[in-house]
Amino acid sequence: MTDDSTLGGDDSLLTIGDLARATGLTVRTIRYWSDEGVLPPVARSTGGYRLYDAASVARLELIRTLRELDLGLGDVRRVVTGEATAAEVAARHVAALDAQIRALRITRAVLSTVADRGSTTEEMTLMNKLARLSAAERARVIEEFVEETFQGLDTADPVIRERMRGAAADLPDDPTPEQVDAWVELAELLQDPEFRARMRAAAEFNAADRTGETPAGASMWFMRRLVQLASDARRRGVAPESPEAGEVLRELLGEEADLTAVLARLEANTTDALSRYRELLAVVKGRGPDADHREEFGWVVAALRARAAG
């Protein structure tokens, strides 16, 4: 029995068998690539069998190299036919490999987190789902949260709005288990209706404090000033209920401030959930937990409560 691996009709042409012996590839592999149009024959024998020339050997070596680099037959075909350069195909393949590597790293981080936490099957499924959200999907989660927080509040401080939008947390290419864990908790927190309501209330307080003439960033300046004065008072051992604490409040708020209103605004901005939100963002970004100044805010709140009660 004869086939196109052994028969030829021209001594200058090669059969599939000749190609197999010249390259060390199997007849079956070469025939498959030929059937797929990656290595078309240059002629046919009188019996209709495929024949190849010397250039086919070089082309076959290129095909083998590209396949060993794990390029698909479609990309291989585009290179050998001249539709695309090897560099163009390689660049696309590098991007695809980068995505695969990143997915594997996230998988490893998720599994490490599951192992460390002793997670249930349900928790593992949720973690895997949230961790595998694309960068665009993660940004969308943040964007929707920011939009819901500030919708219709035209007088809210634009610096705070942009800082929240710019905090769109994205997992690094090689996330640690701690970063995956933090992102999963952050994603759940941002979609929690109670947390969203608290953040909305804080934004409404901020908008109520401002007019169209209030400078952008004034809210951030006030928070920095609060931390500075409260930190100094705590360092000096000033008790929140003491007369000296009243002097600190007047320096911070002025003589005419409505202390009850200020207390309500600060209480809306000093919840444990909001502090946790800031901590999680910092961990995902690889900075470690930021100082949340809970003690300083707590001191001012305690000082305001002492005067509101009086």
Side-chain angles (χ1 to χ4, degrees):
M1 182 176 180
T2 59
D3 62 22
D4 56 351
S5 69
T6 58
L7 273 182
D10 186 328
D11 290 342
S12 66
L13 296 179
L14 305 169
T15 66
I16 286 182
D18 295 330
L19 289 180
R21 286 186 289 274
T23 61
L25 292 165
T26 66
V27 169
R28 180 179 180 180
T29 296
I30 299 173
R31 184 180 293 116
Y32 172 67
W33 287 348
S34 184
D35 290 342
E36 292 296 317
V38 180
L39 185 70
V42 298
R44 292 275 179 172
S45 70
T46 55
Y49 297 111
R50 287 170 282 200
L51 298 174
Y52 303 87
D53 57 12
S56 298
V57 178
R59 187 172 187 173
L60 188 54
E61 291 291 355
L62 173 60
I63 294 168
R64 172 161 61 181
T65 298
L66 295 175
R67 290 294 289 154
E68 287 176 348
L69 291 172
D70 204 29
L71 268 67
L73 283 176
D75 281 333
V76 172
R77 187 183 299 108
R78 282 188 285 274
V79 172
V80 297
T81 59
E83 296 177 32
T85 67
E88 291 169 340
V89 170
R92 288 198 299 270
H93 201 58
V94 165
L97 284 174
D98 285 343
Q100 293 174 12
I101 291 170
R102 186 171 186 279
L104 287 173
R105 285 172 171 165
I106 290 177
T107 298
R108 182 182 184 279
V110 168
L111 290 174
S112 295
T113 302
V114 169
D116 291 341
R117 288 175 47 175
S119 302
T120 65
T121 302
E122 292 76 12
E123 288 173 329
M124 181 175 67
T125 300
L126 175 62
M127 288 178 61
N128 188 52
K129 177 181 177 181
L130 292 176
R132 287 184 179 279
L133 290 176
S134 69
E137 289 169 329
R138 284 192 288 273
R140 178 182 53 77
V141 169
I142 297 283
E143 183 65 25
E144 289 179 354
F145 167 69
V146 173
E147 285 303 312
E148 182 175 321
T149 298
F150 290 100
Q151 186 176 16
L153 302 179
D154 296 335
T155 60
D157 195 327
V159 172
I160 291 181
R161 186 196 303 258
E162 289 310 309
R163 278 174 65 93
M164 288 181 64
R165 181 173 285 111
D170 191 18
L171 284 169
D173 288 339
D174 190 9
T176 65
E178 292 75 20
Q179 287 173 312
V180 171
D181 210 12
W183 163 250
V184 170
E185 186 178 344
L186 178 65
E188 292 177 302
L189 184 62
L190 295 182
Q191 297 173 78
D192 177 37
E194 183 176 346
F195 178 69
R196 289 193 174 208
R198 286 183 177 275
M199 291 297 289
R200 174 68 182 186
E204 288 171 348
F205 278 133
N206 178 265
D209 284 338
R210 295 171 49 81
T211 68
E213 298 178 357
T214 305
S219 302
M220 300 300 299
W221 177 88
F222 172 76
M223 295 301 182
R224 286 193 293 268
R225 180 65 171 158
L226 180 152
V227 169
Q228 178 186 20
L229 291 175
S231 177
D232 179 66
R234 293 182 68 250
R235 181 180 54 79
R236 292 187 287 111
V238 176
E241 64 277 3
S242 68
E244 192 174 354
E247 293 296 325
V248 176
L249 291 180
R250 280 188 286 275
E251 185 177 355
L252 175 65
L253 304 171
E255 295 287 346
E256 305 299 324
D258 183 341
L259 299 187
T260 301
V262 174
L263 175 60
R265 284 158 172 72
L266 284 182
E267 286 178 330
N269 283 280
T270 55
T271 66
D272 288 341
L274 182 55
S275 295
R276 184 59 178 159
Y277 162 73
R278 298 189 185 108
E279 291 172 354
L280 292 170
L281 278 178
V283 173
V284 171
K285 288 176 175 292
R287 297 196 305 261
D290 282 344
D292 58 19
H293 303 294
R294 295 192 193 195
E295 293 83 2
E296 289 80 6
F297 278 94
W299 186 92
V300 173
V301 167
L304 289 168
R305 285 174 178 164
R307 278 138 192 88

